[in-house]
Amino acid sequence: MNHKISKAIFPIAGLGTRFLPATKSVPKEMITILDRPIIEWAVIEAAKSGIDEMIFVTSSRKNIVLEHFEKSELLEFNLKKKNKLDKIKLIETQNRLGKFSLVIQDEPKGLGHAVCCASNFFDKDQSFAVILPDDLIMSKTPAIKQLIEIYEKTNGGSVIGLEKVPINKVSNYGVIEYKKKYKNFFTVSAVVEKPNKSEAPSNLSIVGRYILNSKIFQFLKLGKKGFGNEIQLTDSLVSLIDSPGLFGTEFDGKRFDCGNKLGFIEANINFGINDKEINKHLRKIIKKL
Ligand code: G1P
């Protein structure tokens, strides 16, 4: 029996060390791509996919992330005084994106641990989304919606986002082995976190988009450590393969890894080129380089 995917977990407790010194005072998720913080792009993707409850798993020093989605009476008052009604419209949309909750991950014990911290939000046999905001995806149909569409064809199965990467990059990602390929999805038979290229079962890497069955919490609660001595989400995916089934899909869209400087700049350029207001001038600037 399929249930509507109404909740998404956003694991955002990381220290953002690759973006120091900026992340000394600003959470990595609040750094902007174009005019919105990275976390907002992820939340917009979820909201456009029919998800209405956003669960941030975070460290206590990141309350500002939640504040970003709250109504700001003072700002709205000041904008009104200055007759900047278009700007009011822009910020009003933020607190209409859904219901927001915060769960504190007390220690950085890995992605699997972060997801497990939100287990109380789910009933038995309830499926939910996990979105890693660092993986910013530009697409016509929101990436997580594309996964939901595959999920709806399964009987409570789980679905992960996939992208082919050059074989020398597989060691940066979770990688799958598959049994069968259908038109736009695979049946997954094994997963491995950050394998050496000689041990990788394929070059299909896991992107930070997941639809998971809550059965996964049984495995995660065992707290087994894997790659890097952390509780890995990838390892727990194995527990879903036999029942209710694990599937993967190469979604349509362009993925930017905003967890590193190059991917972050690439994302900004691409989002800029797609922005009506600055696109022409940005192209000119790029040409001149
Ligand atoms: C995490 C996951 C990995 C996945 C990646 C996608 O790794 O553990 O399986 O491929 O996200 O971005 P991280 O980027 O946190 O090292």
Side-chain angles (χ1 to χ4, degrees):
M1 168 77 172
N2 273 335
H3 298 276
K4 185 183 174 293
I5 304 294
S6 59
K7 299 180 188 181
I9 302 177
F10 300 80
I12 54 168
L15 294 174
T17 44
R18 274 186 280 184
F19 279 90
L20 278 169
T23 46
K24 196 165 165 248
S25 54
V26 181
K28 184 180 62 179
E29 299 74 22
M30 291 304 291
I31 297 178
T32 62
I33 301 291
L34 200 61
D35 51 3
R36 295 177 196 271
I38 291 176
I39 183 68
E40 192 176 331
W41 292 112
V43 167
I44 289 173
E45 178 185 328
K48 281 187 176 166
S49 306
I51 293 168
D52 49 26
E53 193 167 343
M54 319 292 171
I55 304 161
F56 297 150
V57 179
T58 180
S59 63
S60 55
R61 61 179 203 103
K62 290 196 182 177
N63 282 343
I64 188 176
V65 180
L66 206 55
E67 267 171 45
H68 179 73
F69 294 97
E70 280 164 8
K71 191 172 168 68
S72 174
E73 305 276 1
L74 186 63
L75 180 58
E76 283 181 30
F77 174 77
N78 285 325
L79 289 172
K80 210 173 199 173
K81 251 184 17 194
K82 296 194 166 165
N83 207 26
K84 297 201 167 178
L85 301 181
D86 53 331
K87 300 290 178 202
I88 296 184
K89 246 191 184 166
L90 199 63
I91 60 159
E92 263 179 358
T93 54
Q94 285 166 315
N95 47 297
R96 294 199 190 129
L97 289 168
K99 177 181 168 206
F100 293 87
S101 307
L102 202 74
V103 179
I104 302 293
Q105 184 185 17
D106 49 359
E107 269 181 88
K109 290 185 189 163
L111 181 59
H113 177 252
V115 170
C116 196
C117 287
S119 64
N120 284 346
F121 283 82
F122 304 98
D123 300 327
K124 197 174 165 275
D125 217 15
Q126 182 181 9
S127 298
F128 58 94
V130 175
I131 297 182
L132 309 188
D134 268 359
D135 280 336
L136 182 55
I137 298 167
M138 190 184 246
S139 58
K140 256 196 199 152
T141 307
I144 202 72
K145 187 165 186 210
Q146 296 180 45
L147 268 65
I148 292 173
E149 283 165 6
I150 305 279
Y151 156 80
E152 283 167 350
K153 293 182 191 152
T154 71
N155 192 15
S158 297
V159 187
I160 48 182
L162 300 172
E163 183 186 57
K164 279 201 185 92
V165 291
I167 196 73
N168 60 345
K169 293 262 167 71
V170 286
S171 59
N172 294 332
Y173 302 104
V175 176
I176 67 143
E177 179 183 273
Y178 65 90
K179 209 158 51 187
K180 262 192 182 169
K181 183 179 190 302
Y182 298 91
K183 200 173 154 220
N184 62 345
F185 68 96
F186 301 84
T187 48
V188 178
S189 49
V191 283
V192 46
E193 180 68 3
K194 303 195 171 73
N196 292 325
K197 65 176 179 185
S198 56
E199 287 159 6
S202 74
N203 67 339
L204 283 165
S205 74
I206 302 176
V207 179
R209 297 292 182 280
Y210 310 75
I211 300 295
L212 300 175
N213 185 287
S214 57
K215 184 186 167 198
I216 202 160
F217 294 124
Q218 290 170 24
F219 185 95
L220 286 171
K221 282 178 182 167
L222 301 175
K224 285 191 186 163
K225 289 186 177 163
F227 182 88
N229 206 27
E230 289 188 344
I231 302 168
Q232 295 292 348
L233 185 61
T234 301
D235 296 342
S236 66
L237 297 175
V238 176
S239 68
L240 303 170
I241 292 176
D242 285 340
S243 154
L246 183 63
F247 306 90
T249 183
E250 281 182 279
F251 53 84
D252 282 329
K254 194 167 164 45
R255 162 188 187 254
F256 303 100
D257 182 357
C258 297
N260 69 72
K261 285 186 221 175
L262 192 60
F264 169 77
I265 301 286
E266 191 190 2
N268 259 311
I269 293 172
N270 277 271
F271 275 66
I273 279 175
N274 274 285
D275 184 79
K276 279 187 211 131
E277 198 183 319
I278 63 165
N279 113 27
K280 275 191 197 141
H281 285 97
L282 180 61
R283 280 181 197 277
K284 274 188 199 157
I285 291 170
I286 295 169
K287 264 191 191 160
K288 273 197 217 154
L289 293 177

